[in-house]
Amino acid sequence: MSDERFTRGHVITSTITSLIGIGVGWWFSGVAAVVAGSTALAAPGIVIALVLTGWVVRFGRSGRALPPGGRRSDSPFGPGYGIAVLVMLVAIVAGSRLPATLDLAEATPAWVLVAVGAHFAPFAKLFGSARYLVPAAALCGTAVLAAVPGAAGSEWAWRLVPGFGGAAVLWATVVAGLLDGRRSVAAHAV
């Protein structure tokens, strides 16, 4: 799978979505799981989000030399993208009821992280970039990491691990995209 279709628009859109929409939400889910010191943990999440937001804005300006993307008919943000997001939302809502019926309501954040992670897998084909398989596997793996101590009775793991782990994976995805974008800008400048 090549990354030829991965344009400036794709980098910016996926970066902003991961950074602001989901990464910050997962971070604060982790913060909410901490009883003492949650205020001190909120600050690093805010700082990370602000730094990455500044980097996204800067990349948006310097990335003007990259291909802007194809015509609307070539855009990966079409029906396939919408279906992947819709399936994720249905899996989150419908699947969140399953842990509660098994008397494991605390496992819901891990389930949601699996649904979010799985929804990245079809993006590999839609965006023509295997890079989306990494966050898909990492997010699902983080949910499994929460399940191990959670199933052993450590209730804190069900929310803490998906919260901070999900944010870390999504923010690392943003950093990887921005670093790749910077390399692409440098290559197009030559």
Side-chain angles (χ1 to χ4, degrees):
M1 197 173 299
S2 79
D3 283 346
E4 291 174 25
R5 290 180 28 205
F6 204 74
T7 64
R8 176 182 69 227
H10 302 143
V11 172
I12 292 171
T13 302
S14 62
T15 298
I16 290 172
T17 302
S18 294
L19 171 65
I20 297 168
I22 303 171
V24 171
W26 280 109
W27 180 268
F28 282 100
S29 175
V31 168
V34 176
V35 177
S38 61
T39 303
L41 286 173
I46 292 168
V47 169
I48 291 168
L50 289 173
V51 167
L52 290 176
T53 300
W55 195 3
V56 168
V57 169
R58 185 173 172 200
F59 174 77
R61 291 182 183 148
S62 68
R64 290 185 182 130
L66 291 177
R71 297 176 311 269
R72 189 162 184 73
S73 62
D74 297 331
S75 174
F77 296 106
Y81 180 83
I83 290 169
V85 172
L86 180 62
V87 168
M88 175 194 68
L89 293 173
V90 169
I92 287 171
V93 173
S96 293
R97 297 175 192 263
L98 179 62
T101 62
L102 299 172
D103 200 29
L104 283 171
E106 63 275 7
T108 301
W111 169 258
V112 171
L113 195 62
V114 168
V116 171
H119 108 285
F120 276 94
F123 294 174
K125 183 176 180 183
L126 291 171
F127 285 91
S129 174
R131 74 180 74 224
Y132 287 102
L133 298 176
V134 175
L139 289 169
C140 291
T142 301
V144 170
L145 288 176
V148 172
S154 298
E155 220 174 287
W156 57 267
W158 288 117
R159 190 152 182 197
L160 194 75
V161 174
F164 292 124
V169 168
L170 290 166
W171 287 341
T173 302
V174 171
V175 169
L178 289 168
L179 290 173
D180 186 51
R182 187 166 61 178
R183 283 189 292 274
S184 295
V185 168
H188 279 83
V190 174

